[in-house]
Amino acid sequence: MKSISVSTIDLGIVCPMANEEFAAESFVREVLQQCTGFRSVRLFAVLDRVSRDNTLNILKDLALELPELQVIFAPENRCVVDAYVRGYKEALAAGCDWILEIDAGYSHQPSDIPQFFHIMSQGYDCVFGSRFCKGGRMTGGVKRYLVSYGGTALTNLLLGTKLKDMTSGFELFNCFTLNSILDRGIRSRGHFFQTEIKFYCRNFNLAEVPINYKVDGNSVNSTAIQDALKNLWRLFVLRIRGKA
Protein backbone atom coordinates (compact mmCIF):
# COMPACT_ATOMS: atom_id res chain seq x y z
CA MET A 1 0.00 0.00 0.00
CA LYS A 2 1.22 3.49 -0.85
CA SER A 3 1.65 5.93 2.01
CA ILE A 4 -0.21 9.25 1.91
CA SER A 5 0.75 12.65 3.29
CA VAL A 6 -2.11 14.24 5.24
CA SER A 7 -1.04 17.61 3.82
CA THR A 8 -2.69 16.51 0.56
CA ILE A 9 -5.95 15.48 2.26
CA ASP A 10 -9.18 17.39 2.79
CA LEU A 11 -10.64 16.04 6.03
CA GLY A 12 -14.30 15.98 6.95
CA ILE A 13 -15.49 15.18 10.48
CA VAL A 14 -19.07 14.00 10.95
CA CYS A 15 -20.46 14.47 14.45
CA PRO A 16 -24.18 14.20 15.25
CA MET A 17 -25.07 16.13 18.39
CA ALA A 18 -28.07 16.36 20.68
CA ASN A 19 -28.51 17.99 24.08
CA GLU A 20 -24.79 18.70 24.52
CA GLU A 21 -24.94 22.32 25.66
CA PHE A 22 -22.48 21.85 28.51
CA ALA A 23 -19.84 20.01 26.47
CA ALA A 24 -20.43 20.96 22.82
CA GLU A 25 -17.94 23.83 22.61
CA SER A 26 -15.10 22.10 24.47
CA PHE A 27 -15.63 18.91 22.46
CA VAL A 28 -15.49 20.70 19.10
CA ARG A 29 -12.34 22.56 20.08
CA GLU A 30 -10.61 19.41 21.31
CA VAL A 31 -11.51 17.47 18.16
CA LEU A 32 -10.17 20.20 15.91
CA GLN A 33 -6.97 20.41 17.97
CA GLN A 34 -6.31 16.76 17.10
CA CYS A 35 -6.87 17.31 13.36
CA THR A 36 -3.85 19.29 12.21
CA GLY A 37 -1.59 19.14 9.17
CA PHE A 38 -4.35 18.58 6.65
CA ARG A 39 -4.92 20.64 3.53
CA SER A 40 -8.31 21.55 4.97
CA VAL A 41 -10.53 20.48 7.85
CA ARG A 42 -14.29 20.75 8.20
CA LEU A 43 -16.37 19.56 11.12
CA PHE A 44 -20.02 18.87 10.27
CA ALA A 45 -22.12 19.04 13.44
CA VAL A 46 -25.54 17.56 12.66
CA LEU A 47 -28.50 18.39 14.88
CA ASP A 48 -32.22 17.73 14.64
CA ARG A 49 -35.37 17.95 16.76
CA VAL A 50 -34.05 15.41 19.25
CA SER A 51 -31.84 18.21 20.61
CA ARG A 52 -34.07 20.34 22.83
CA ASP A 53 -31.55 22.40 24.78
CA ASN A 54 -29.31 25.26 23.66
CA THR A 55 -26.75 23.17 21.75
CA LEU A 56 -27.77 24.50 18.33
CA ASN A 57 -27.36 28.16 19.31
CA ILE A 58 -24.07 27.48 21.06
CA LEU A 59 -22.66 25.83 17.96
CA LYS A 60 -23.95 28.55 15.65
CA ASP A 61 -22.15 31.15 17.78
CA LEU A 62 -19.00 29.02 17.83
CA ALA A 63 -19.09 28.70 14.05
CA LEU A 64 -18.68 32.48 13.79
CA GLU A 65 -15.29 32.03 15.46
CA LEU A 66 -14.25 28.70 13.94
CA PRO A 67 -14.46 28.60 10.13
CA GLU A 68 -13.86 24.83 10.25
CA LEU A 69 -17.21 24.27 11.96
CA GLN A 70 -20.33 23.83 9.85
CA VAL A 71 -23.60 23.47 11.74
CA ILE A 72 -26.36 21.50 10.02
CA PHE A 73 -29.91 21.54 11.36
CA ALA A 74 -31.92 18.70 9.88
CA PRO A 75 -35.45 18.67 11.37
CA GLU A 76 -36.52 16.09 8.80
CA ASN A 77 -34.41 13.37 10.45
CA ARG A 78 -36.51 10.46 11.62
CA CYS A 79 -33.87 8.40 13.43
CA VAL A 80 -30.24 8.44 14.51
CA VAL A 81 -29.13 6.89 11.23
CA ASP A 82 -30.51 9.86 9.29
CA ALA A 83 -28.23 12.19 11.24
CA TYR A 84 -25.11 10.21 10.38
CA VAL A 85 -26.07 9.80 6.73
CA ARG A 86 -26.77 13.51 6.41
CA GLY A 87 -23.31 14.20 7.77
CA TYR A 88 -21.71 11.70 5.39
CA LYS A 89 -23.43 13.29 2.40
CA GLU A 90 -22.44 16.80 3.46
CA ALA A 91 -18.80 15.77 3.79
CA LEU A 92 -18.76 14.03 0.42
CA ALA A 93 -20.50 16.96 -1.28
CA ALA A 94 -17.83 19.26 0.17
CA GLY A 95 -15.13 17.21 -1.56
CA CYS A 96 -13.60 15.67 1.57
CA ASP A 97 -11.06 12.92 0.86
CA TRP A 98 -11.26 11.32 4.29
CA ILE A 99 -14.33 11.31 6.53
CA LEU A 100 -13.95 10.76 10.28
CA GLU A 101 -17.03 9.79 12.26
CA ILE A 102 -17.04 10.51 15.99
CA ASP A 103 -19.77 10.69 18.63
CA ALA A 104 -20.12 13.79 20.78
CA GLY A 105 -20.37 13.91 24.56
CA TYR A 106 -16.94 12.36 25.17
CA SER A 107 -18.12 8.78 24.75
CA HIS A 108 -15.37 8.86 22.11
CA GLN A 109 -12.15 10.55 23.18
CA PRO A 110 -10.63 13.23 20.92
CA SER A 111 -7.19 12.11 22.10
CA ASP A 112 -7.72 8.82 20.24
CA ILE A 113 -8.07 10.55 16.86
CA PRO A 114 -4.41 10.82 15.68
CA GLN A 115 -3.92 7.04 15.53
CA PHE A 116 -6.70 6.82 12.93
CA PHE A 117 -4.78 9.22 10.69
CA HIS A 118 -1.49 7.43 11.25
CA ILE A 119 -2.94 4.10 10.11
CA MET A 120 -5.02 5.57 7.28
CA SER A 121 -1.97 7.35 5.85
CA GLN A 122 -0.39 3.94 5.25
CA GLY A 123 -2.90 3.37 2.45
CA TYR A 124 -5.94 1.81 4.12
CA ASP A 125 -9.49 2.38 2.89
CA CYS A 126 -11.07 2.51 6.33
CA VAL A 127 -10.00 2.38 9.97
CA PHE A 128 -12.33 1.28 12.76
CA GLY A 129 -12.09 2.09 16.44
CA SER A 130 -12.13 -1.03 18.60
CA ARG A 131 -12.93 -1.36 22.29
CA PHE A 132 -12.00 -5.04 22.32
CA CYS A 133 -8.61 -5.18 20.61
CA LYS A 134 -5.37 -4.90 22.59
CA GLY A 135 -5.23 -1.47 24.24
CA GLY A 136 -8.95 -0.78 23.83
CA ARG A 137 -11.28 -0.14 26.75
CA MET A 138 -14.98 0.21 27.48
CA THR A 139 -16.04 1.68 30.80
CA GLY A 140 -19.27 2.66 32.50
CA GLY A 141 -21.80 -0.06 31.69
CA VAL A 142 -21.69 -3.85 32.06
CA LYS A 143 -24.91 -4.41 30.07
CA ARG A 144 -23.65 -2.30 27.17
CA TYR A 145 -20.35 -4.19 27.25
CA LEU A 146 -22.10 -7.55 27.07
CA VAL A 147 -24.40 -6.43 24.24
CA SER A 148 -21.50 -5.01 22.21
CA TYR A 149 -19.14 -7.92 22.83
CA GLY A 150 -21.81 -10.53 22.28
CA GLY A 151 -23.08 -8.72 19.19
CA THR A 152 -19.58 -8.76 17.74
CA ALA A 153 -19.17 -12.50 18.34
CA LEU A 154 -22.57 -13.32 16.82
CA THR A 155 -22.01 -11.07 13.82
CA ASN A 156 -18.61 -12.54 13.05
CA LEU A 157 -20.09 -16.02 13.30
CA LEU A 158 -23.02 -15.37 10.96
CA LEU A 159 -21.48 -12.91 8.52
CA GLY A 160 -17.94 -14.22 8.28
CA THR A 161 -16.42 -10.93 9.37
CA LYS A 162 -13.30 -10.85 11.50
CA LEU A 163 -13.17 -7.51 13.30
CA LYS A 164 -12.74 -7.55 17.06
CA ASP A 165 -15.41 -4.85 17.42
CA MET A 166 -18.33 -4.87 15.00
CA THR A 167 -20.51 -2.31 16.80
CA SER A 168 -18.27 0.71 17.40
CA GLY A 169 -19.14 4.04 15.77
CA PHE A 170 -15.70 5.71 15.84
CA GLU A 171 -14.27 5.28 12.32
CA LEU A 172 -12.49 6.81 9.35
CA PHE A 173 -13.21 6.24 5.64
CA ASN A 174 -11.78 7.45 2.38
CA CYS A 175 -14.36 9.01 0.08
CA PHE A 176 -14.47 6.07 -2.32
CA THR A 177 -15.28 3.61 0.46
CA LEU A 178 -17.95 5.81 2.02
CA ASN A 179 -19.56 6.44 -1.37
CA SER A 180 -19.73 2.71 -2.00
CA ILE A 181 -21.48 2.20 1.35
CA LEU A 182 -24.08 4.87 0.63
CA ASP A 183 -24.62 3.48 -2.86
CA ARG A 184 -25.51 0.11 -1.36
CA GLY A 185 -27.93 1.74 1.04
CA ILE A 186 -28.15 1.47 4.83
CA ARG A 187 -31.28 -0.41 5.81
CA SER A 188 -30.95 -0.47 9.59
CA ARG A 189 -32.81 2.27 11.44
CA GLY A 190 -30.94 1.76 14.71
CA HIS A 191 -27.37 1.56 15.95
CA PHE A 192 -26.90 -1.74 14.11
CA PHE A 193 -26.18 0.42 11.06
CA GLN A 194 -22.59 0.61 12.31
CA THR A 195 -22.37 -3.17 12.00
CA GLU A 196 -24.04 -3.05 8.59
CA ILE A 197 -21.39 -0.58 7.41
CA LYS A 198 -18.57 -2.81 8.63
CA PHE A 199 -20.07 -5.78 6.81
CA TYR A 200 -20.11 -3.79 3.56
CA CYS A 201 -16.46 -2.85 4.15
CA ARG A 202 -15.22 -6.39 4.72
CA ASN A 203 -13.49 -6.66 1.34
CA PHE A 204 -11.73 -3.29 1.56
CA ASN A 205 -8.28 -2.74 3.07
CA LEU A 206 -9.26 -2.13 6.67
CA ALA A 207 -7.66 -1.90 10.08
CA GLU A 208 -8.64 -1.49 13.72
CA VAL A 209 -7.17 0.82 16.35
CA PRO A 210 -7.79 0.69 20.11
CA ILE A 211 -10.13 3.29 21.58
CA ASN A 212 -11.27 4.21 25.07
CA TYR A 213 -15.08 4.24 25.01
CA LYS A 214 -17.13 5.64 27.88
CA VAL A 215 -20.75 4.51 27.98
CA ASP A 216 -22.93 7.61 27.64
CA GLY A 217 -25.81 6.34 29.76
CA ASN A 218 -28.18 5.61 26.88
CA SER A 219 -29.17 1.97 27.26
CA VAL A 220 -29.78 -0.33 24.31
CA ASN A 221 -33.57 -0.71 24.23
CA SER A 222 -35.66 -3.59 22.92
CA THR A 223 -36.49 -1.75 19.69
CA ALA A 224 -32.79 -1.37 18.88
CA ILE A 225 -32.16 -5.05 19.63
CA GLN A 226 -35.07 -6.11 17.40
CA ASP A 227 -33.74 -3.92 14.58
CA ALA A 228 -30.29 -5.47 15.03
CA LEU A 229 -31.54 -9.05 14.93
CA LYS A 230 -33.76 -8.40 11.91
CA ASN A 231 -30.99 -6.79 9.91
CA LEU A 232 -28.39 -9.31 11.03
CA TRP A 233 -30.61 -12.09 9.66
CA ARG A 234 -31.15 -10.11 6.43
CA LEU A 235 -27.39 -9.75 5.90
CA PHE A 236 -26.84 -13.42 6.76
CA VAL A 237 -29.37 -14.48 4.11
CA LEU A 238 -27.75 -12.16 1.55
CA ARG A 239 -24.36 -13.63 2.35
CA ILE A 240 -25.59 -17.23 2.04
CA ARG A 241 -27.20 -16.43 -1.30
CA GLY A 242 -24.02 -14.75 -2.52
CA LYS A 243 -25.76 -11.40 -2.98
CA ALA A 244 -23.76 -9.32 -0.49
Side-chain angles (χ1 to χ4, degrees):
M1 291 182 289
K2 184 179 179 180
S3 62
I4 302 168
S5 171
V6 299
S7 64
T8 67
I9 297 296
D10 295 313
L11 175 69
I13 307 159
V14 174
C15 184
M17 289 192 176
N19 304 312
E20 302 283 354
E21 62 182 354
F22 298 112
E25 180 174 349
S26 62
F27 186 78
V28 167
R29 291 185 184 278
E30 289 185 37
V31 168
L32 291 175
Q33 286 172 1
Q34 299 292 339
C35 301
T36 59
F38 290 89
R39 182 165 57 191
S40 69
V41 176
R42 283 177 144 182
L43 192 157
F44 301 90
V46 184
L47 294 94
D48 51 40
R49 296 191 185 279
V50 172
S51 189
R52 298 183 176 89
D53 64 4
N54 202 37
T55 302
L56 179 61
N57 291 328
I58 290 171
L59 291 175
K60 284 182 175 178
D61 289 342
L62 186 60
L64 298 176
E65 175 190 344
L66 301 176
E68 304 95 333
L69 175 60
Q70 182 171 332
V71 182
I72 301 160
F73 182 60
E76 70 278 8
N77 288 351
R78 300 179 63 184
C79 64
V80 63
V81 183
D82 289 344
Y84 287 95
V85 172
R86 175 63 184 275
Y88 299 155
K89 290 181 177 179
E90 292 284 345
L92 291 171
C96 297
D97 302 303
W98 291 357
I99 297 90
L100 174 72
E101 175 195 317
I102 184 171
D103 291 347
Y106 291 101
S107 56
H108 294 153
Q109 311 309 308
S111 58
D112 284 335
I113 291 175
Q115 61 182 334
F116 285 83
F117 303 148
H118 173 69
I119 298 299
M120 192 74 158
S121 66
Q122 296 174 26
Y124 285 91
D125 298 314
C126 43
V127 181
F128 298 113
S130 174
R131 298 158 293 182
F132 306 128
C133 69
K134 183 178 180 181
R137 288 195 302 163
M138 183 175 180
T139 57
V142 175
K143 179 181 177 181
R144 187 70 172 271
Y145 179 94
L146 293 174
V147 169
S148 297
Y149 191 84
T152 292
L154 182 61
T155 299
N156 283 335
L157 176 65
L158 293 180
L159 301 185
T161 46
K162 298 179 180 180
L163 291 175
K164 292 182 172 62
D165 191 344
M166 286 293 292
T167 66
S168 170
F170 196 174
E171 47 209 9
L172 178 64
F173 308 93
N174 64 28
C175 57
F176 174 82
T177 302
L178 187 56
N179 261 315
S180 72
I181 293 168
L182 296 181
D183 286 344
R184 296 196 64 161
I186 298 172
R187 293 275 296 276
S188 173
R189 298 292 88 192
H191 286 285
F192 183 81
F193 87 97
Q194 302 285 9
T195 304
E196 186 175 0
I197 285 175
K198 291 177 177 63
F199 175 67
Y200 293 150
C201 289
R202 68 194 187 282
N203 294 323
F204 287 102
N205 290 322
L206 55 83
E208 287 184 284
V209 294
I211 60 170
N212 177 16
Y213 179 82
K214 295 182 180 179
V215 175
D216 59 11
N218 295 323
S219 60
V220 180
N221 58 38
S222 60
T223 300
I225 292 175
Q226 290 172 9
D227 174 83
L229 292 175
K230 179 182 71 175
N231 281 285
L232 178 58
W233 179 253
R234 176 179 60 84
L235 294 176
F236 172 71
V237 171
L238 288 175
R239 179 195 173 214
I240 293 301
R241 293 177 177 175
K243 296 181 179 181

